[in-house]
């Protein structure tokens, strides 16, 4: 009887997470929640942005009434920026964050990070990318040395596995079978 295995699929997305200045002391606690939620922290750095850098980062918010307060708040102290990866990272991170208004989050999403760590709409504790394209742009902004190659999906992922992974595994397993070591590791 032949067991049919599903075709391996590679669905890994990256998103940007920022721990904002007022809750930087909760960094370890928040990272623990992130890791327990199935994310991998690919890159991480602690930095302090200037008001000009904050203005550039939040350029799409320019002209809105809260923009000056947002840039002042985000440049008021150090932040922790992280590149998170997992399947559907952007949507899962947004779900874990909850609504941007922390007061609303406490009512509608009581277990979300913003409900737990935020204080109001502006000081909501954490940032998350809104889409895959904004995540790529934001990651490039805060991690300029990062190489963001497109992650293969569908046929491209199957081709990659067939061309690179399967031959390597086959060669390794063949060598292992020929040697038959007492302790294979």
């Amino acid at each position: 009887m032949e067991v049919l295995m599903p075709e391996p699929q590679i669905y890994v997305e990256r998103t940007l997470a920022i721990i904002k200045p007022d809750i930087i002391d909760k960094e370890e606690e928040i990272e623990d929640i992130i890791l327990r939620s199935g994310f991998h922290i690919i890159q991480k750095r602690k930095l302090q942005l200037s008001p000009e850098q904050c203005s550039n980062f939040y350029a799409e918010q320019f002209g809105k009434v809260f923009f000056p307060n947002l840039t002042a708040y985000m440049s008021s102290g150090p932040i922790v920026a992280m590149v998170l990866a997992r399947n559907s990272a952007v949507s899962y991170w947004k779900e874990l964050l909850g609504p941007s208004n922390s007061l609303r989050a406490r009512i509608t999403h009581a277990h979300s990070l913003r409900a737990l760590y935020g204080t109001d709409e502006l000081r909501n504790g954490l940032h998350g990318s809104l889409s895959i394209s904004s995540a790529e742009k934001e990651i490039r902004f805060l991690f300029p040395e990062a190489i963001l190659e497109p992650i293969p999906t569908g046929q491209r992922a199957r081709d990659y596995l067939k061309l690179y992974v399967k031959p390597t595994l086959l060669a390794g397993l063949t060598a292992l079978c020929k040697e038959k070591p007492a302790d294979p590791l």
Side-chain angles (χ1 to χ4, degrees):
M1 180 182 204
E2 187 179 322
V3 178
L4 295 176
M5 296 293 292
E7 283 290 317
Q9 296 183 10
I10 300 173
Y11 294 110
V12 178
E13 243 176 49
R14 289 168 287 226
T15 192
L16 182 74
I18 296 177
I19 299 174
K20 295 182 179 180
D22 55 335
I23 63 164
I24 198 90
D25 59 323
K26 304 287 187 190
E27 176 185 351
E28 286 182 27
E29 193 176 310
I30 293 167
E31 281 183 33
D32 184 54
I33 293 169
I34 289 168
L35 294 171
R36 284 188 287 118
S37 299
F39 290 95
H40 295 278
I41 300 173
I42 304 300
Q43 288 183 287
K44 174 181 150 182
R45 70 187 283 210
K46 186 182 260 186
L47 67 153
Q48 183 158 356
L49 298 173
S50 69
E52 294 78 22
Q53 288 171 315
C54 291
S55 294
N56 290 335
F57 184 80
Y58 287 108
E60 68 277 355
Q61 305 295 336
F62 184 77
K64 294 186 179 172
V65 71
F66 61 84
F67 183 76
N69 290 335
L70 176 63
T71 56
Y73 164 53
M74 288 300 291
S75 61
S76 68
I79 62 168
V80 174
M82 294 174 282
V83 178
L84 307 180
R86 71 163 283 167
N87 292 341
S88 305
V90 173
S91 61
Y92 277 112
W93 180 238
K94 287 194 307 191
E95 184 180 323
L96 189 59
L97 285 175
S100 61
N101 184 328
S102 296
L103 302 174
R104 186 178 311 124
R106 285 190 190 105
I107 296 166
T108 62
H109 297 78
H111 299 292
S112 69
L113 292 175
R114 287 178 173 153
L116 297 171
Y117 298 104
T119 54
D120 57 34
E121 187 169 6
L122 178 65
R123 297 183 188 287
N124 59 13
L126 298 118
H127 169 84
S129 303
L130 296 175
S131 66
I132 294 172
S133 61
S134 68
E136 289 176 2
K137 184 182 90 167
E138 292 172 355
I139 290 168
R140 278 193 197 95
F141 186 90
L142 291 172
F143 296 90
E145 73 289 349
I147 298 171
L148 294 177
E149 296 175 1
I151 296 171
T153 58
Q155 187 59 44
R156 288 180 57 220
R158 287 187 287 281
D159 291 344
Y160 178 84
L161 289 172
K162 182 178 178 183
L163 189 61
Y164 298 105
V165 177
K166 287 181 182 178
T168 304
L169 284 175
L170 182 60
L173 291 173
T174 302
L176 189 63
C177 288
K178 286 180 183 176
E179 294 291 322
K180 295 184 184 164
D183 183 13
L185 298 178

